[in-house]
Amino acid sequence: MAIADVISKLCAAVSKASATQWIATTVAAIIVTTALTLIRWTLGTLRPKNFPPGPRITPGLGNLLQMPLSKPYLTFHKWFKSYGDLVGVKVGTGNMVIINSPDIVNELFDRRGAYYSGRPYNHILSKHVFPLPEDKAVTVLQYDDYYRRWRKSLNYILGPGGVNRVTPVLEAEAANFSRLCLDGGENYIRNLHYWALAGPIAITCGKRLENLPADYTETFVHGQDVLLELITPGVAPPVDVFPILKYVPEWLGASWKAAARKVHDIHLTDRLMYLDYGKDQRARIKKDPSSIGLPCLMAKILEDQEANPNAPGFTDIELAHLGANMGGVAVDTTAVTLKSMMLLFACYPEVMRKVQAEVDRVGNGKPPTAEHLDQLVYLRACISETLRFRPTTPSALPHTLDKDDIFKGYFFTKGTVFLANAWTLNHNEEDYDRPEEWIPERFLENAYGLRPERFAPATLGSRRALYAFGSGRRICPGIDFAFTSLLLASSKILWAHDVLPPLEGVDISIETGYEDGVVTAPKNPAVLLRLRDEKRKDGIMEDFERTNAVARSLIP
Ligand code: HEM
């Protein structure tokens, strides 16, 4: 045997042995790594030390088995009764704390707001629908310098002077809605959506809805529906809880990726359209400043940026988001509140009659106008009670903690998710008399709707009347705007029409009559509308002509 053959046989034996060894080492490494990852994961799902009490944990899952996919706020309310003001929940390895006490909301969200104002990371939104860092959609904005600049810019339309500035446009849209209701409620839902969208779109990007394609309302509503459906718990797999699911390819069943792409494309088209409208209005104003009586939010921002080119401004894509988001946050919430209140009027005719007596009195033979808003005390109480009774986002929106913190001996790690649980905060039996009933009078007897004997005005402290708008530095900036819109629309409609239940009846039970989802909407919002008397038709038409002439002069 040649020496060369011997050497080559020896090498083959050695390399076979080392290949076997290599395979064995690799397999061992995989097993150890997997075991360590599983141990780490399992330990991460256990209740941490000094964490608020909550339901029993299943190792490896935390409280995932108890986390309800349907109407979670109802389960949270039961947990409140068992565990108290702070409930600690393990969502896989993540920490979540549900706050059920106004004082604690005040301490954490208001006083410590500098670090309790983040938003939980949502992979589907932040990577697929609104990919950061370019797509700065409101839903994915963290609490940082950009956010603060963004929020400040909204004052132009949402701050105290801002709402006054845009009220004539809101009034015109309310008058138009009342006019459209003359069809007896045949197209009530479509008209209600039109109303909810028309105000925000006009004042944000300078376009009256009447000048957009007739089916734009449906296009918009569809865009909202597909977005909200995508992020409804249980629709897509829980990729934030089990990050490995992100890597499942579409051909292996991750159909949510295609759905997210579709939602991305729909919203991209929309926001570019808003950007064009805003820029177009700015160009018109530059050409002839007197051509627009009420510059829209986007035109105002562009004007400020031209005047201060060295100050941090918004890029085109940021501006497009800013404009498009106003519709996103304003329309569903306001529309759903009105839908609920109209159903309640249909169920409680005696309340409706009291509102009608109020609007008749202040309107003095004509539909109430923006001048009368302060006098609509009872109607305002009905709106507050609707938001207490059927909040549109019953767990409000989650906030995250940006650094470790200690509160009452509990230790909260950075990234903990907090929910100011609006449902329980506004349904607590100790604070509210018969909380499961819709009683607008409670807001007349006590400004916060609370049991008057328990809560004298001087003892209210830092409590809010309504938690449906959230709390802290991320509290809804559209509260005054929403109340103004709702007061204008409902006062004009009730001046002209009776609201009646449809033949199939009305179901206002939260269990059976309301949808699941991010926004809690009535399943069957239809009502019938009957003109109170023929003479009121003229009043509606005059009101429409007058208010819309003003709006057209402001935003031609
Ligand atoms: C009845 C109607 C409305 C309800 C119930 C409502 C409710 C809410 C809630 C619960 C939040 C989250 C607050 C938090 O994180 O603590 C929010 C945020 C927001 N709302 Fe409203 N909203 C309504 C109408 C409006 C309107 C009409 C506008 C604007 C025209 C608006 C603009 C916003 C904006 C911009 C945010 C995001 C704030 C942020 O992330 O900092 N909302 N709203």
Side-chain angles (χ1 to χ4, degrees), residues 119 138 147 150-151 154 158 326 329-330 333-334 337 387 392-393 396-397 399 468-471 473-478 481-482 486:
R119 289 277 190 235
V138 56
Y147 167 82
W150 169 87
R151 175 118 184 176
L154 306 182
L158 302 182
M326 278 310 103
V329 289
T333 45
T334 317
T337 306
L387 283 159
T392 54
T393 45
L397 295 194
H399 290 207
F469 291 103
S471 300
R473 297 192 185 182
R474 299 206 75 147
I475 191 170
C476 174
F481 185 106
L486 288 162

Side-chain angles (χ1 to χ4, degrees), residues 1 19 61 185-186 188 196 218 235 243 245 299 330 403 408 427 436:
M1 185 185 290
L61 293 173
E186 211 181 307
Y188 165 68
E218 278 80 14
V235 170
L245 294 173
K403 68 179 183 86
K408 287 192 170 175
H427 279 81
E436 301 312 326

Side-chain angles (χ1 to χ4, degrees), residues 353-429:
R353 295 274 167 243
K354 278 195 199 175
V355 175
Q356 287 176 327
E358 182 175 82
V359 296
D360 284 355
R361 194 178 66 250
V362 306
N364 199 16
K366 291 183 178 169
T369 71
E371 312 273 287
H372 300 120
L373 294 185
D374 287 348
Q375 297 170 52
L376 298 172
V377 180
Y378 188 63
L379 181 53
R380 191 177 284 270
C382 291
I383 297 173
S384 295
E385 176 66 346
T386 304
L387 283 159
R388 184 202 68 79
F389 181 69
R390 294 288 175 260
T392 54
T393 45
S395 306
L397 295 194
H399 290 207
T400 48
L401 177 59
D402 289 337
K403 68 179 183 86
D404 293 352
D405 193 29
I406 293 174
F407 173 70
K408 287 192 170 175
Y410 295 124
F411 179 67
F412 300 134
T413 49
K414 179 178 172 184
T416 301
V417 175
F418 286 83
L419 291 180
N421 183 16
W423 183 268
T424 294
L425 290 162
N426 279 147
H427 279 81
N428 184 341
E429 287 90 351

Side-chain angles (χ1 to χ4, degrees), residues 192-214:
L192 190 149
H193 289 159
Y194 184 103
W195 157 76
L197 175 61
I201 203 172
I203 59 163
T204 303
C205 69
K207 200 79 177 169
R208 298 286 311 282
L209 199 44
E210 62 183 13
N211 299 328
L212 278 172

